[in-house]
Amino acid sequence: MTMHDPEHDIERLISSAGWRNAPGAERSARVRGVVAQVWRQEIARRRARRQALAAAATLLAAAAVLTAIFRPAATIDPPNVTLPQRVASIAAASGRVLLNGSTTPDGNRPGAALESGTRLETAVSASATLRFDAGAELRIHNDTALRLDGPRSIALDRGTIYLDAGESAAGGYTVTAAGGIVLRDIGTRFEVQLTEGALRLRVRDGEVLLESARQSGRAAAGEELEVNREGDIVRRKVPPFGPDWDWTTRAAPVFTVENATLEAFLDWAIREGGWMMDTPADAAFRQLARTTRLHGDISGLTPREALAVVLPTCGLTIAFSGGRAIVRKPSSEGVPQ
Amino acid sequence: MDDRTLAARALAGDERAFDELFDTYFPRLFRFALRRVETEDAAEEVVQATFVKAMRSLRNWRGEASLYTWLCAICRREVAAHWARQGKPPRFTPIDDLPEVRAALESVVDPGGRPDRLLERLEIAGAVQIVLDSLPGRYGDILEWKYAHGLTVAEIAARIGSSEKAVESMLTRARLAFREGFSSL
């Protein structure tokens, strides 16, 4: 097409074509958040690499100087600049937990420090929880083997893990698995299971990016992605509550009920159980929750069982409907049957 | 900020450069993807995957093609992967995937190519919008703001944080680029 009066023609063409579709602000913000996270990780990774190279160069230069002064004829070994660093500690463990291939008391000792490069393995009837120094909690199911690759990095060899990045954490944890699959959390809680070359990702809240050699995808809260041996991804819905998640509570340190407030207990139960908690909205209930002190022990109980045991002792009822846990005072209206 | 500067600053960790890169290219890539997949949600997923890959390999972009052309190449692969996941062949053949049109649009950045006129086969409004998306930097945006939204030069200057004189100059270059791109169809 030719244009004779350029500015007039351009104005006419563009005005008649109308506005181009713009992605909505919510959509744009959602993608920006994910992309910015990846960009920051990439920048941090490049900086760390540059620093490591600079450190290596400095060490090499220093070693060369020292060699020239003191041992002119000697050869030097290349410096090891990736020294192990403490990245996590044991928060809870039960059963046989192996560290670097051997059973040591540290494997079951809460507070025992774990360095980068540590290999951890749980026996068929064991479980453990690690607390990363960067803030996240990693729960490890039975018959699982993994390696701590860094302050926010886990390599899963087999089995099932559950990562809780914590409410205040900005995310940035990665889980790598066989086949070059990489999972990156965006401030979230998720479970990864690796069996016989197939990987299953279940996201309880937040979002997780999944990347493999063949494709990438994103899983949001309530979604499950399964990557089969051929690298195909199957997406399904999965409830963030229910018996499938109970192992994560069993692997965690037991919630100490003794002298805890009802409010703290309910917060724990919501987070562990995965429900939306529906409680009376009145000030009297809030006061009751803040001031009531609990007594006893809920070891071995699931969050659902614990709610059923504890709440009646506070004069409250509990009912479950879909994804909601409904707490009521017996006199209040709307108690589900 | 031209593409090379933008990429270099983003690689250096400049948050403003990242924002500008995202703001400049996200809407354009979203429309690019939307012409190739079935829903806005699918387009979002495809464009997000495109940007994630682009952020990881930005250092490999050498500036031989424009940043938009490079991003579109990644996006095309993500679209193909999307349809492969569906187990279906692509349902659409967008006009800007026709080889002649691609060559014409890429010649906006590298003038010289004069493919056969195809506009008779294209829907004009769609072609105008595709050409706007293909212009370098934010030329497409300022042309649309000026002629479709009716913004004044002063309003555009305020929107992009620039002087009126600079905007006048950009408009002149943008019109030339648009004319070049559109005439080549």
Side-chain angles (χ1 to χ4, degrees), chain A residues 149-174:
Chain A
D149 274 354
R152 291 170 181 260
S153 179
I154 303 139
L156 179 63
D157 292 332
R158 71 163 193 277
T160 311
I161 59 173
Y162 174 81
L163 188 85
D164 182 341
E167 288 177 350
S168 61
Y173 289 85
T174 61

Side-chain angles (χ1 to χ4, degrees), chain B residues 9 23 47 50 55-56 62 65-66 72 80 116 120 123 132 140 147 151 155 171 181-182:
Chain B
R9 290 196 182 171
D23 292 340
V47 175
T50 299
M55 290 302 109
R56 296 227 169 87
R62 294 186 296 276
S66 75
C72 286
D116 294 338
E120 290 79 6
E123 196 266 310
L132 287 174
Y147 298 123
L151 264 58
E155 287 168 330
L171 272 169
F182 195 76

